[in-house]
Amino acid sequence: MAKIIQAIRGMNDCLPTKSALWQRVEGTIKEILHTYGYSEIRTPIVEMTNLFYRAIGEVTDVVEKELYTFQDRNGDSLSLRPEGTASCVRAGMENGLFHNQEQRLWYMGSMFRHERPQKGRYRQFHQFGVEVFGLTGPDVDAELIMITACIWRALGIIDDVHLELNSIGSFETRANYREALVAFLQQHESVLDDDCKRRMHTNTLRVFDTKVPEIQDVLTDAPKLYEYLDNESKQHLLGLCELLDSVGIQYSINEKLVRGLDYYNRTVFEWITGKLGTQGTICGGGRYDGLVEKLGGDTTAAVGFAIGIERLVLLIETLGLNKTRPIVDVYMVTTGEGTLIAGMKLAEVLREKIIGLRVMMHFGGGNFKKQFKRADKVGASVALVLGEKEVSQNMVTYKDLKSGEQLIISQDDVAGKLAQLV
């Protein structure tokens, strides 16, 4: 017997038992983004490798260790996208979306990073991303955070997440700060692990991401980035905080929050939860005003965020909020000659009259007990029963599977009875 082929480690199936929750989450986010006037953009999952080297930074963990990279038949180096911002910027530049224009965009799709798989962290994962181009003020930063808060409220998790903010200033600010931070770290090098020693000379600010308690204690006395901020960055952060205060969004300033990609500047933020252990970040974002220019375009203000769908779904499940509408509203039970065709015709009429009504036909025959057992298994609220007598009289037996109510009504009237299910 041939060996069964399994999924690649860290790349998971989304089975029917979970896909309904994914659809609810995705549908909620899409609907909210549309109410704010944002438009969808779709980009390829494969890009030229150099895009990510230039956008994300050659000394980041994503580029150094996590890219899925291969050569195509032309000898070009291609990579599966590890995040969506770089692809969005490339598409905008290539198609002239940024020239004297503002853009408010969203996208959804698979991302790929070769990491050690664990709960909440996978090699193929899914993100909802939002990117805004051409707007410089803290007002749009605040709107993006308001959008995320609106999503959390709609999903019922607003009380289980918390917003952390920081400003990492301009690129010049960070260059000056890095010098001071490296000098501090060198004084405490004996305490640092190999990972922090490597980051100290490559991606210095990522040292703050360490989970080692002893190193965290040492970093408490490290130079504060805020003390090195330029005045414009300080005013931008102050303006953002005032706007969030005015709309009642609670937050805390986390001076160690830096984000992991090189293109960020000024505002950075994360929504975190204490319900998922170490994988507590469900959304992160910030400004990246220099990225378009870095990739060869004109200077363009930009800000965005990304939501990790796997972690968001995991949080909803952990909180017990994963109840979804059953996949079937109405189950069609038929018995007798000519009733199957009559049932299929009636089902089509009902689907056309009641947009969104979910009607499932029973196929494969069987007695009433078998058919009703199947109706219960798929979670149907109502069974419609067609026998030869009902068909000849243009009637149908309506049975409420929750209350047990049963009545015989005209097929012409059944749509009105079922409309309440949608």
Side-chain angles (χ1 to χ4, degrees):
M1 182 178 294
K3 184 178 179 180
I4 295 175
I5 298 174
Q6 297 182 323
I8 297 170
R9 184 167 179 254
M11 299 185 180
N12 302 319
D13 302 304
C14 183
L15 301 177
T17 51
K18 283 198 173 185
S19 61
L21 176 57
W22 278 67
Q23 290 168 6
R24 176 163 70 85
V25 169
E26 293 165 355
T28 298
I29 298 174
K30 288 179 184 179
E31 184 176 348
I32 289 172
L33 289 170
H34 288 155
T35 66
Y36 279 82
Y38 286 63
S39 302
E40 183 183 10
I41 184 171
R42 302 188 183 193
T43 61
I45 64 170
V46 178
E47 299 274 8
M48 301 295 290
T49 301
N50 195 40
L51 171 66
F52 303 117
Y53 273 73
R54 291 172 58 185
I56 298 173
E58 293 187 32
V59 293
T60 58
D61 286 351
V62 173
V63 168
E64 284 187 323
K65 299 187 289 187
E66 298 169 2
L67 276 185
Y68 276 95
T69 299
F70 60 95
Q71 280 196 337
D72 71 0
R73 294 180 180 181
N74 296 326
D76 294 323
S77 179
L78 307 179
S79 294
L80 298 176
R81 62 186 182 193
E83 54 93 55
T85 300
S87 294
C88 193
V89 170
R90 191 270 311 149
M93 293 172 57
E94 186 174 340
N95 294 281
L97 300 185
F98 303 149
H99 182 64
N100 294 327
Q101 302 176 68
E102 69 174 61
Q103 297 289 345
R104 306 185 192 198
L105 308 173
W106 68 267
Y107 52 84
M108 177 185 71
S110 297
M111 311 294 165
F112 303 84
R113 297 185 188 182
H114 194 277
E115 301 183 283
R116 182 173 64 87
Q118 53 187 293
K119 193 173 185 179
R121 184 185 293 273
Y122 308 106
R123 291 177 175 175
Q124 178 180 350
F125 56 99
H126 300 78
Q127 285 186 342
F128 245 104
V130 175
E131 317 288 356
V132 178
F133 300 94
L135 296 171
T136 60
D139 46 6
V140 67
D141 300 21
E143 180 177 85
L144 291 187
I145 292 172
M146 289 167 62
I147 289 173
T148 55
C150 185
I151 293 169
W152 312 147
R153 284 193 295 270
L155 294 174
I157 64 170
I158 188 67
D159 294 332
D160 297 282
V161 294
H162 178 69
L163 175 64
E164 292 189 347
L165 286 179
N166 195 20
S167 175
I168 57 175
S170 65
F171 297 108
E172 293 77 15
T173 290
R174 289 206 303 287
N176 295 330
Y177 176 66
R178 280 195 190 98
E179 291 184 11
L181 182 58
V182 168
F184 172 84
L185 293 172
Q186 288 175 334
Q187 295 174 13
H188 300 85
E189 194 164 356
S190 61
V191 182
L192 303 181
D193 59 11
D194 291 340
D195 203 30
C196 286
K197 288 178 181 178
R198 177 180 60 83
R199 286 175 170 173
M200 178 172 62
H201 299 291
T202 56
N203 197 353
T204 312
L205 271 63
R206 288 298 307 280
V207 170
F208 287 112
D209 288 342
T210 181
K211 299 297 189 293
V212 180
E214 293 80 8
I215 302 176
Q216 289 179 334
D217 291 341
V218 168
L219 292 174
T220 302
D221 298 322
K224 307 302 181 189
L225 177 57
Y226 186 82
E227 297 172 358
Y228 288 78
L229 288 185
D230 56 286
N231 187 58
E232 287 186 4
S233 294
K234 288 181 179 179
Q235 291 302 313
H236 192 99
L237 179 61
L238 179 62
L240 173 58
C241 291
E242 288 177 348
L243 288 166
L244 295 179
D245 290 338
S246 70
V247 296
I249 294 179
Q250 297 182 344
Y251 59 89
S252 60
I253 301 295
N254 179 359
E255 294 181 349
K256 295 180 180 179
L257 178 60
V258 296
R259 304 293 294 153
L261 307 180
D262 277 1
Y263 53 62
Y264 284 109
N265 70 300
R266 288 193 180 169
T267 303
V268 290
F269 66 89
E270 289 185 352
W271 285 93
I272 59 175
T273 178
K275 305 292 185 178
L276 300 180
T278 58
Q279 305 301 327
T281 301
I282 62 169
C283 172
R287 282 208 156 264
Y288 51 97
D289 296 325
L291 183 55
V292 175
E293 185 176 11
K294 185 178 180 181
L295 293 177
D298 297 328
T299 301
T300 304
V303 59
F305 68 79
I307 297 172
I309 302 300
E310 277 86 355
R311 289 189 192 175
L312 181 54
V313 167
L314 181 59
L315 177 59
I316 292 171
E317 291 175 329
T318 301
L319 296 173
L321 302 174
N322 52 322
K323 292 183 179 179
T324 57
R325 179 181 168 190
I327 61 170
V328 175
D329 299 313
V330 178
Y331 198 82
M332 190 70 70
V333 176
T334 62
T335 180
E337 187 175 351
T339 59
L340 177 62
I341 293 297
M344 295 179 72
K345 289 180 178 179
L346 178 57
E348 285 299 292
V349 170
L350 294 175
R351 295 185 190 107
E352 290 177 5
K353 286 186 175 181
I354 309 173
I355 303 301
L357 185 69
R358 306 173 183 187
V359 185
M360 179 180 281
M361 289 294 306
H362 180 85
F363 296 129
N367 56 30
F368 278 124
K369 183 178 180 180
K370 177 181 178 181
Q371 296 191 51
F372 275 99
K373 186 176 181 180
R374 177 62 179 165
D376 286 334
K377 186 173 182 179
V378 298
S381 299
V382 171
L384 295 181
V385 183
L386 280 176
E388 293 179 11
K389 183 178 179 181
E390 284 90 352
V391 171
S392 66
Q393 297 177 356
N394 196 40
M395 305 295 282
V396 62
T397 298
Y398 175 105
K399 183 169 184 177
D400 189 318
L401 297 176
K402 308 301 181 185
S403 68
E405 174 194 10
Q406 182 170 310
L407 64 157
I408 299 175
I409 57 177
S410 168
Q411 292 186 25
D412 297 331
D413 297 332
V414 71
K417 183 74 173 173
L418 293 172
Q420 61 184 329
L421 298 180
V422 178

